[in-house]
Each structure stands twice: as structure tokens, then as C-alpha cells.
Amino acid sequence: MKYIFRVILLLIISMSFNSYQNAQNFGGVPPNKEWSTHTINDVRIIYDKNVKHSADTISRIIHAIDREVPYSLGNNTEFLHLILRNENLTSNGFVSYFPYRSEFFIHGAQNPNAIGYGEWIKLLSYHEYRHAMQYSNFNRGITKLIHSVLGDASVAGIYNFLVPDWFSEGDAVFFETALTRNGRGRLPSFTSDLRALLLDSINYSYEKFRNGSFKDLVPNEYVMGYILATYGHQNYGKEFWKNTLQETGRLKGLIFPFSKGIKRNSQLSLAQFYHQAFRSYRSTLPYSSYNLKDNQFAFEKDANIKDEIVSYSLNGAKILLENTYDEIPTVYSIDDREKKTKLFELGNTTDPFIQVSDSRILFINKRVHHRWTNREFGDIWYYDTNKGTIQKVTKDKKFLSCDFNESNQHFVAVSGTSDGRYAITLLNEQGMVIDTIVPVTSEYLSSPLWGEDEQCIYFTSRKNGKISLQKYDFQLQNIQSLISDYNGTIANPFIRGHELFFSSSISGIDNIYKYDLDNGDIHQITDIKTGAYAPTLDPVNHILYYSVSTAEGKRIVTQNIYEDATSEPLDAINSFEHNSNWIPNYVELSKLPPQPSLQKPYRPFLHLLNFHSIYLTPDLETPKLSILSNDYLNTTRAEIYGQYFDADQSFKTGAELTYAKWYPELSVGADHRFNRTLIIRTDRNIYRIPKSETSLTGSVRLPLVFSSRQNHQFLNIGSRFDLTKEHFDPNHESLPDNFNIQPRLFQRSQGSITWQLTRRQAYRDIFPKWGFIFHGVYKRGWSPQISELAYIRSEFFIPGFFKNDGWKFRAQGQWNSDLAGSYLPLELATSSNIRYTHSSFTKGSFLTGNYMLPLAYPELAIPHFLYTKRIALNFFGEYFVSEHENQSAYGVDLFLTARYFNLLDLTVGLRTQMVNNKDLDFGIILLQNL
């Protein structure tokens, strides 16, 4: 009986949460790519033929892991398809459980504080393949039984519900740290925010760390998970997480099996385990507080959560790049009276950073191809401080970082190539390429800087798990290593005169160092206990600006470099790991090559169908059970389904297929609906006879993306044609003799357009501060009667009176023929309790207004079930008008934003409204329905 109950519980969970991870980039694959594939153990790697070297590197790592199985979670392996994306510039990768597949984006970040100073593709391989190991060894017992019946979606839902994200990511960070000498666990920048909190005696509850906060700085699940995963590995033996994960997959403990697994294997509750792990981590920090004085802060100190990323001194003013909970990354000018003037918003970028060169503030803007969204571009832009304008220098290039020399009017930039390599390019002021001064190489190049004499550039290079500072001499046309094979980061270099400043983790904590370009001496400039980053210099006042981790985020501080710098140069560059008691011992895998695998062409058209899941769309009125298919490149999806309609107790079975490899998306579908009733009205009687319907559907859609900098912009144009044939007996016994009626053929077509232009939202924004959405559709019924319907909806967003409040206005209009309600799906909709009948009008419209105001950010928890994060008030009004009537509603919504089951963020409101000035109604409303 207990076993049966477990199965039922897992079925409910899997059906409820199985859509959680299915949010991937569908149809964004550039065409005309020549794909190759080879198989290593239980992994098939699919890749552009230009990146075979990356595929070979991944194969060697997977082979070594599978052979030696360090920090084993079990012996299970599920066959995995791994796709290499070589045209993205975003540093990312994922293992999707629904369907089970993986993608690696092969270009890494410019800032080594984000991903370390090792080789990106290796770090990515260790991290993401660990996710595959987690999934494979969770999938056992009852979970595996359900998987064998329902497929990937069921296990995705079960895994996401039962296994916390901090374990998935934290254990993967632990794994990459143990198996490399430069994983994120070895980076002091990775835990700098956590150290700042602990040194400020801030200790959050488990629920707060698990679910985040709108008002406080909370390190993400990677950091939290790394601390907990490391504590488990190092204090409870190599079987601890293996047993906990496998017992969770078997649903041992029934309710909350993961936390009960921790209890069973450590004798500690999950909350106790969490607090003990963080106390243990805090006790190993070799200092009791961080040594900052209030007068060191460059700008007014406040308690708002924000990151002051970098500051420059320019013409008597300070230039500040700042990111806050209330604003997207923005560049400001601050005068000597602390007056803050907004210059521009940085927008979407591969690395939120700027370079200042005399009158230009340089940055890289990232955008995607307007149709092939897996093709990303990085272009050079700058803000002209003299003119107050923004200029775009290049178009559709793949630059990652840059610098500009005001004297020779030349840019120097690092570019990524389609084969996953890098080069340094020289460009003129108009963005035309003059020369490639550092040719394409497998070394990871970053942060190019002009020297003061215009005769050289400086840059960093990462190779074989180490980083170097290098110099290119234009006269000699050669490269010289200034700091070679550095076991630490060299980040955010900055040059003034003969001095080069940079941030480095070499001492075990990130601090600022100075390299003398004349004699090669290195001085440590700062001694910050939480981490110092992004140095710049005011050469007139000899003031160094740099960013420091605090409990309220990153803050810019100042320091006189001649009064406070270390007097003696460092004798040698020796690497010390920060808090080495908390870093796993390095496990070196043998370098035996895998058995050679035959490389062969991969032909996507032969692999379009991959049925992987049975999926339930939970709906009380129209539940739908589907068998789903997605191809591995994510260009084709298909569905075979059955659906129930409660309104008339009918059933529908059908199939759909969408192909997105071409410029337009093409969809076809067919279905048959049973158990319908045909109602025939005459002057004296109403007759009801059974009928069914068969439908064929074809559609074309063109999804386009024009997003750039701070705006999201999408354009979707589509058309659709439906044929529906009735089936019934015209001589049915219920009908009178000589009654003439024949099955009808319904023909319908429609065209639609949707245009969205909205500003990127800050973390605490509920509505976009600016934007509009336009949706228009025209429908026409061709038979058995001509019918028409036109519908337009426009939504507008404008800022409110404070930081995160805002207005949303919506206007809808529908114009339809008299018979439209009988033959065409209607569009006009209300979010209030205004009651109207579609058949009573041919012209109708709604005007709706909402004003949303955040009230408070309470953080209350019902463990495992609910964690509250925000309360907001929404004042609304809605007005309906047609040729026959006018109606109105107004009222107030009290919205609660909360995370449910530590997994789902949902904003739900309690609505109180007055309808037509006489009826007081109450109800529930979701934020997305406003």
C-alpha cells in the first residue's frame, strides 16, 4: 500500500511540475550548418564541423570521468545528446531534463572572476556532465518506473520538485573545483559576497538563502550549494550525497525525501545541516571583520542593495557604472558636489563593464540575429561625453571587449570566432578592420588595453589552466609575456603612465596590484578581506578607485596609492588558495585518450522525431494528455494528443508538427472530435443529434527579434487556415421525415501580427518602466457562411511616481459580423467581472488601467511550502462599451509575490471590485492576467 501511495504521489508531482525546465531556444539554429557527430560512452556529441577540437576535448573529459568516476553518485548512466553551440557569445551551458539533452556554448566570459582563469570548455564539461550524472543516478526505483512509462517530462517534474537547485548547482561547482585547479570554488570572487555577509555577522535562515530576497543581498544557489555540498562531501564521507540522491529518487521518506535523506545520513535536519555548514565555513575565515572605514567610500554610503562596478575620473567628474535592484546597469556622472546625473543605460552585454578613453565611454552590446537566435553578435558602442550621444561603431561582429586610443583614433578589440577561438583586431574610428595583430589562437584572450605611448597593447591570455599578462609591440611585431603562467586571476587591468593596475586572487583574496612597466616590479596595493576589483586611477590626485564586496553589494572605495601601497615589491608570484580548508583536494584524472570514435555527418532531417514524454496539461475544463517530440537541435516539435472538453463532454484526438529550420515556422495539424451534439432549431422544435468533426490546420509564422541594448523588441507575423468537416447522419431518427440537412464544411483563415517593444526590467520592477505591445488579428469564415472578425489590443507601460511602481494601460477593440459568434473564435476579453454576451454586439471595446505600487517586502516562511517576498497594491479600472450597452468596473487588488515549494515564483492577487457601481465582487487574479 505504501508503494502504491508513493507511485500516486510521484505521478501527481510529475504531472504538476514537468514543464518547469522546458523553456529553451526553439528554432534559433542558423541554417546551412554542416553538422558532425561522434559518440563517446553514453554521450553523442553533435557539433559544427569547425569545432571538432572542442568536441574532442569534451570527449576526453567524459571518457576520463566515466572510467574513474570520482565522487561517484552511482553507476547509472542515461544516454545523452550534447549539442555544441559555436555562434553564441554568452558563457553558458545546460542539461535539460525535458527532453533530456545538453547544450554547451563554447565562448567564455572575458572577466576571469566570473568563470576562472582556466579553459572555459573544460570547466563547462566538468560542470554540466556532473548534472548528467546527478540526473542519471536520481532516476532509479519508483522514479525509473514512472520514467519508463511517462518519459522525460515526468522525471524532470519529479527531480525539480524533490531535489533543490542548490544541490544540483553546488555539487556541480564542487565537482569542477575538485577536478580542476581553477574551478569556481577556488575563486575568492565566487564567495566574496558571502564572506562580506558573514564578516558583518549576517546569518540568513535556510528559507531565505533558498528563495532569495527583494530587499537584501543573498548569494545565489551556486554559492549556497557549493558550501553545503562541500560540507557534506568532506564531513560525512564519499557515500553521503550518493545515498541522499538515490534515496530521494526512490522516494524513501515519502514526503520531502531529500531533507529526510540528509537527516538519515547525517543525523541533522536540513536546517541544522545548513546552519552547521555555514558556521563551519565562517570559522575557517582567517579574520573576524573586513577593514573598511566610512571615509574610504567614494560615494554616499547607503543601505540600498547595489553593485558599484567601476568608477573613472574624467574631466573633474567621476564616471560610475552601477547596477541596483531598482535599475538595470546604468552609467552616471557624479560631480564634486555628489550630484548624480544619468548618462545612459548599458543595455545587454556579454560583460557588464566599461572602458573610458578621454571623451568616450566604451562598451560592448550583445544582441541576437533577428531570426536565428542562437547566433549572437557583440558590437562596439561608445558614449561621447562631449556631445552626450551614443554611437554604434561596428555592426554584426563578434567582439567581446575593446579599448580606444584617442591619439591615433584606433580601436583594439578581442573577437570570438565561429570555431571557438579568439583574436585581437585593430580597427579604425569607423569600425573597419585594419589588421589582426594577434592571430586566431586557442588561447583565451581578453581585456586589450592601449599603452600610453601608442606603440603597444596589453592583454591577458589563458591557456592550460593558467593566465598571463602579455604585451604586443607594434614596432617589433612580437608578443612578450610580462607575467607568465599565473596561478590566479588577472582581472580588469588599467593603465596610467608606466603603471598597470589589476585585480588578482594570487594572495587567496582578490586585491589590487600594480605592475611597473619599466622594471617589472609588482606591488600589492590593497589589503581587503572580502575582495577588491576593477581598479582605476585619478592621476592628478593619485587616488585609486576600486570596487569592494560589502554586505550591501559592491561599493567603490578610494585609496591614496603612495601613502597606502606596499613599499617593497613582491619577490615572486606565489599562489595561495583562499580558505584552503574549504576547497576539495585536487583529483587529477589520467590523460589516457578515449577509444577512437568514428566521426560522421549528422543529418538533422533524419532525426526530426524524438518522442520523449507523456505530458498532462492540467486544466479543469480542457485537460490535455500529449505525447511530445523534440529533435535534439530543437528545430522541430511534434505532439500526439487527446483532449477532453467539459463544456459539452466531447473528446478530441489529434497531432501537430512544427518545423522551424526555415525562415518561417511551418505547422500542420489534424484532429478528430467525438461526442459532439448538433442542435437544430426550427420554429416549433429543437432537435439534437450526435455528430463528430474532423479538422485540418496549416499555419505559417515568422518570429523576429530586434532587441538591442536596453530594449526587448519582438515581431511575430502569422497566418493560419483551418478546414473542419462535420460528420452526422442526415437521416437520424430524431429528425422529422423529409428534413433536409447535410454535413457542413467550415473554412476559416486568419492573419495576425504582434509587436512588442519594452524596456528591460530591473530586479524589483513589476511592470516594464516603458514599453508597448500591439496585437492585431483578422479572421474570416468562408463557409458555410461568410463571417468576419477584426481585433486589436494595445498595451502601454509608463513609469509611476517612485522607483518600482508603474502604470499599465490596455485598449481592446473587436469588430465582427453578425454570424461571427457562430463560426469564429472570439477575442475580446476582460480581467474584471464585467458580464457581457458576445452575440449582443458587432462592435465592442475595453479600456483598462492599472497602477501597481509595491508596499513591502515581508519574508515569511512555511518551510517547504511557501516563502513570501513582496506585497503590492494595484488600483484598476475597466470600461466596456458596445453599440448597445456600457459597463464599468473598478477596484483594488492586493498582490502577494511568493515562492511555492521552493520552486515556483507566482504573484497572486485578491481582487475587490465594484461592477456597474452596484455589485461588490471578490475574486482571485494572477499578475499575468492584468
Side-chain angles (χ1 to χ4, degrees):
M1 186 66 186
K2 187 175 182 180
Y3 187 88
I4 294 175
F5 183 72
R6 288 178 179 176
V7 172
I8 294 173
L9 181 63
L10 281 186
L11 284 172
I12 295 172
I13 292 171
S14 67
M15 293 301 186
S16 300
F17 293 91
N18 55 14
S19 64
Y20 182 67
Q21 283 213 345
N22 194 28
Q24 301 168 33
N25 187 353
F26 177 71
V29 180
N32 303 321
K33 294 176 74 70
E34 294 186 42
W35 296 93
S36 297
T37 183
H38 68 251
T39 301
I40 177 70
N41 301 347
D42 287 319
V43 179
R44 175 176 294 156
I45 306 176
I46 303 170
Y47 52 93
D48 185 300
K49 68 174 186 176
N50 293 319
V51 293
K52 182 180 182 301
H53 58 283
S54 296
D56 290 341
T57 297
I58 296 167
S59 295
R60 286 192 292 270
I61 291 172
I62 290 174
H63 180 71
I65 293 172
D66 284 348
R67 185 179 58 246
E68 302 181 30
V69 198
Y71 297 101
S72 173
L73 294 174
N75 299 320
N76 282 7
T77 56
E78 301 283 339
F79 197 89
L80 176 68
H81 288 78
L82 193 163
I83 295 87
L84 302 189
R85 301 293 192 195
N86 64 320
E87 297 198 55
N88 299 73
L89 296 179
T90 304
S91 302
N92 199 10
F94 63 84
V95 175
S96 164
Y97 306 138
F98 173 27
Y100 183 50
R101 57 189 288 276
S102 180
E103 291 190 11
F104 288 7
F105 300 169
I106 64 175
H107 285 104
Q110 286 283 284
N111 186 355
N113 289 324
I115 60 170
Y117 48 91
E119 295 173 65
W120 162 247
I121 200 68
K122 292 182 178 179
L123 181 80
L124 187 64
S125 299
Y126 286 115
H127 184 96
E128 298 302 333
Y129 193 58
R130 183 61 167 185
H131 287 320
M133 298 166 69
Q134 294 163 354
Y135 173 86
S136 296
N137 289 284
F138 171 83
N139 188 19
R140 59 180 62 239
I142 301 174
T143 303
K144 192 170 186 66
L145 173 64
I146 293 177
H147 180 229
S148 64
V149 177
L150 300 180
D152 293 347
S154 60
V155 181
I158 295 168
Y159 186 92
N160 285 310
F161 183 72
L162 297 184
V163 179
D165 56 357
W166 63 255
F167 170 76
S168 298
E169 299 300 348
D171 176 65
V173 172
F174 173 88
F175 192 70
E176 77 184 44
T177 303
L179 272 63
T180 68
R181 295 190 183 277
N182 39 54
R184 276 171 286 187
R186 300 182 192 274
L187 293 178
S189 59
F190 180 67
T191 52
S192 64
D193 288 341
L194 175 62
R195 291 196 308 277
L197 290 169
L198 295 177
L199 292 176
D200 218 11
S201 300
I202 296 174
N203 299 288
Y204 296 138
S205 67
Y206 169 79
E207 287 76 17
K208 184 164 183 169
F209 249 118
R210 178 79 168 87
N211 295 291
S213 173
F214 279 123
K215 63 180 182 180
D216 294 313
L217 176 67
V218 178
N220 62 29
E221 66 273 17
Y222 291 79
V223 177
M224 174 191 182
Y226 174 69
I227 299 301
L228 297 180
T230 302
Y231 184 74
H233 278 296
Q234 294 191 343
N235 290 275
Y236 295 100
K238 62 182 182 180
E239 301 291 314
F240 175 72
W241 289 119
K242 173 183 175 181
N243 292 338
T244 300
L245 183 65
Q246 292 186 12
E247 290 167 5
T248 302
R250 293 191 180 100
L251 206 64
K252 190 173 182 180
L254 202 60
I255 306 296
F256 311 120
F258 189 85
S259 58
K260 290 190 176 180
I262 288 179
K263 175 73 172 180
R264 189 180 302 109
N265 293 291
S266 70
Q267 309 306 310
L268 298 173
S269 68
L270 179 55
Q272 292 171 332
F273 181 85
Y274 158 79
H275 285 294
Q276 192 156 307
F278 275 75
R279 280 196 299 268
S280 177
Y281 177 78
R282 174 64 180 86
S283 69
T284 60
L285 297 180
Y287 32 80
S288 57
S289 62
Y290 54 87
N291 50 341
L292 283 177
K293 302 173 183 177
D294 286 345
N295 60 5
Q296 286 185 267
F297 290 96
F299 309 112
E300 183 179 355
K301 190 173 183 293
D302 58 52
N304 293 326
I305 303 302
K306 60 184 177 182
D307 283 338
E308 296 173 348
I309 299 172
V310 64
S311 178
Y312 291 84
S313 178
L314 179 65
N315 300 328
K318 301 182 187 72
I319 303 299
L320 172 66
L321 171 60
E322 181 180 83
N323 184 26
T324 77
Y325 279 11
D326 301 319
E327 282 287 348
I328 62 176
T330 302
V331 178
Y332 299 91
S333 174
I334 303 175
D335 62 22
D336 54 5
R337 293 175 295 177
E338 297 298 320
K339 182 182 178 182
K340 195 173 184 179
T341 303
K342 180 177 177 179
L343 300 181
F344 66 96
E345 293 160 341
L346 189 62
N348 194 19
T349 179
T350 55
D351 186 15
F353 204 73
I354 57 173
Q355 288 280 79
V356 174
S357 176
D358 292 331
S359 62
R360 305 188 188 207
I361 303 174
L362 310 172
F363 60 98
I364 300 292
N365 172 241
K366 182 186 73 174
R367 73 171 189 86
V368 300
H369 186 275
H370 60 270
R371 175 63 181 89
W372 313 118
T373 48
N374 270 313
R375 177 179 290 160
E376 293 182 328
F377 303 106
D379 285 305
I380 299 172
W381 295 61
Y382 69 85
Y383 176 87
D384 190 317
T385 58
N386 294 328
K387 300 178 180 178
T389 59
I390 294 177
Q391 302 292 328
K392 183 178 182 179
V393 179
T394 64
K395 181 179 180 181
D396 296 346
K397 304 300 181 183
K398 289 185 174 291
F399 294 119
L400 298 167
S401 58
C402 68
D403 194 18
F404 181 74
N405 188 288
E406 197 79 29
S407 298
N408 62 24
Q409 298 289 291
H410 285 166
F411 292 92
V412 62
V414 170
S415 60
T417 65
S418 60
D419 61 356
R421 304 179 196 270
Y422 306 89
I424 296 182
T425 304
L426 192 68
L427 304 94
N428 64 19
E429 187 180 16
Q430 289 73 39
M432 302 297 293
V433 174
I434 300 173
D435 193 11
T436 299
I437 56 179
V438 180
V440 174
T441 175
S442 59
E443 297 184 20
Y444 191 88
L445 308 175
S446 62
S447 307
L449 290 175
W450 282 100
E452 292 284 310
D453 58 3
E454 307 172 23
Q455 298 303 311
C456 59
I457 62 164
Y458 301 87
F459 60 94
T460 63
S461 171
R462 303 173 220 166
K463 186 177 182 181
N464 298 326
K466 297 186 178 183
I467 195 169
S468 301
L469 177 65
Q470 300 189 334
K471 169 186 174 182
Y472 177 83
D473 190 301
F474 283 95
Q475 291 183 339
L476 301 177
Q477 295 188 353
N478 67 4
I479 297 174
Q480 174 188 355
S481 289
L482 306 181
I483 302 175
S484 301
D485 297 334
Y486 201 47
N487 286 315
T489 58
I490 299 177
N492 312 126
F494 177 86
I495 288 179
R496 275 295 180 268
H498 64 92
E499 297 173 326
L500 187 149
F501 299 87
F502 60 95
S503 170
S504 178
S505 62
I506 198 66
S507 69
I509 294 293
D510 295 300
N511 270 292
I512 307 302
Y513 294 80
K514 179 181 71 175
Y515 181 89
D516 193 309
L517 297 172
D518 292 336
N519 57 32
D521 287 346
I522 299 176
H523 294 260
Q524 181 174 341
I525 304 299
T526 65
D527 184 25
I528 301 297
K529 304 307 181 186
T530 58
Y533 308 94
T536 65
L537 181 69
D538 177 353
V540 176
N541 299 307
H542 309 299
I543 298 297
L544 185 72
Y545 294 87
Y546 55 94
S547 183
V548 170
S549 296
T550 76
E552 292 83 30
K554 300 288 192 298
R555 292 293 192 269
I556 299 294
V557 300
T558 62
Q559 180 174 320
N560 188 303
I561 59 171
Y562 296 112
E563 292 179 0
D564 303 331
T566 305
S567 58
E568 297 296 327
L570 302 178
D571 293 330
I573 300 298
N574 298 313
S575 177
F576 298 93
E577 288 184 334
H578 79 289
N579 198 4
S580 58
N581 294 329
W582 207 264
I583 295 176
N585 295 326
Y586 172 56
V587 177
E588 185 171 8
L589 300 179
S590 62
K591 295 182 173 58
L592 292 174
Q595 294 296 319
S597 177
L598 178 63
Q599 178 187 354
K600 54 186 179 182
Y602 181 82
R603 296 180 173 85
F605 196 77
L606 300 179
H607 303 273
L608 294 183
L609 295 180
N610 167 43
F611 288 99
H612 53 78
S613 302
I614 296 177
Y615 180 83
L616 175 65
T617 303
D619 190 301
L620 294 178
E621 296 182 350
T622 58
K624 184 179 182 183
L625 187 65
S626 307
I627 302 175
L628 300 180
S629 168
N630 294 80
D631 73 317
Y632 298 115
L633 295 179
N634 209 24
T635 62
T636 307
R637 60 188 174 209
E639 177 183 12
I640 300 172
Y641 62 88
Q643 190 168 16
Y644 174 73
F645 296 84
D646 184 66
D648 61 359
Q649 289 81 52
S650 63
F651 300 87
K652 180 164 71 173
T653 60
E656 295 178 356
L657 184 141
T658 300
Y659 183 69
K661 186 67 182 293
W662 297 332
Y663 215 82
E665 286 184 7
L666 305 179
S667 297
V668 293
D671 64 71
H672 188 78
R673 191 163 173 180
F674 305 88
N675 201 39
R676 300 214 71 189
T677 301
L678 177 63
I679 302 175
I680 305 169
R681 291 181 172 86
T682 66
D683 293 339
R684 297 183 178 181
N685 295 297
I686 297 177
Y687 303 98
R688 290 179 172 86
I689 62 174
K691 75 166 184 172
S692 62
E693 297 171 344
T694 301
S695 298
L696 298 176
T697 301
S699 65
V700 179
R701 189 175 78 99
L702 186 60
L704 301 175
V705 180
F706 299 103
S707 300
S708 181
R709 297 197 58 242
Q710 73 271 33
N711 294 321
H712 297 295
Q713 187 171 186
F714 307 96
L715 177 64
N716 281 279
I717 303 172
S719 64
R720 176 187 175 103
F721 188 79
D722 301 317
L723 288 174
T724 300
K725 177 65 175 177
E726 284 185 326
H727 308 284
F728 60 84
D729 181 3
N731 300 312
H732 192 273
E733 60 183 12
S734 299
L735 297 176
D737 295 336
N738 302 319
F739 194 88
N740 185 17
I741 185 171
Q742 296 297 323
R744 295 166 294 179
L745 176 66
F746 295 86
Q747 300 181 72
R748 295 182 292 266
S749 62
Q750 77 172 51
S752 64
I753 182 172
T754 302
W755 183 19
Q756 175 180 335
L757 176 60
T758 54
R759 181 182 181 273
R760 291 175 61 198
Q761 290 180 241
Y763 179 55
R764 291 203 294 201
D765 287 343
I766 302 176
F767 294 150
K769 283 188 168 64
W770 296 99
F772 72 87
I773 301 172
F774 172 84
H775 174 70
V777 61
Y778 173 75
K779 301 179 182 182
R780 183 177 178 89
W782 300 91
S783 67
Q785 299 286 339
I786 297 296
S787 56
E788 293 181 289
L789 181 146
Y791 171 78
I792 291 177
R793 183 183 72 246
S794 296
E795 298 180 2
F796 300 90
F797 301 92
I798 61 174
F801 309 104
F802 309 103
K803 289 183 177 180
N804 304 113
D805 60 327
W807 296 86
K808 177 182 178 179
F809 298 99
R810 183 175 66 232
Q812 302 177 77
Q814 177 177 299
W815 299 263
N816 54 268
S817 61
D818 291 332
L819 297 175
S822 301
Y823 299 109
L824 298 173
L826 303 178
E827 295 284 341
L828 204 62
T830 176
S831 61
S832 67
N833 277 1
I834 291 178
R835 297 172 178 88
Y836 61 94
T837 303
H838 278 288
S839 59
S840 66
F841 62 87
T842 59
K843 297 178 183 179
S845 60
F846 272 103
L847 295 176
T848 308
N850 295 276
Y851 171 68
M852 183 73 75
L853 174 67
L855 294 180
Y857 300 96
E859 295 175 339
L860 306 174
I862 302 176
H864 303 294
F865 290 103
L866 176 73
Y867 186 80
T868 66
K869 300 174 74 172
R870 175 175 57 205
I871 293 176
L873 207 58
N874 179 58
F875 299 94
F876 76 92
E878 189 163 60
Y879 182 72
F880 170 74
V881 59
S882 70
E883 65 263 48
H884 302 302
E885 62 177 329
N886 299 336
Q887 296 192 57
S888 64
Y890 58 87
V892 63
D893 307 319
L894 184 64
F895 277 102
L896 173 67
T897 299
R899 176 167 284 192
Y900 297 86
F901 308 106
N902 297 317
L903 182 66
L904 301 173
D905 287 303
L906 194 62
T907 300
V908 182
L910 176 63
R911 167 158 287 192
T912 302
Q913 60 183 320
M914 180 69 72
V915 181
N916 296 324
N917 292 316
K918 58 181 180 180
D919 299 322
L920 185 63
D921 287 337
F922 302 92
I924 302 295
I925 189 167
L926 300 178
L927 176 64
Q928 57 266 34
N929 292 335
L930 289 182

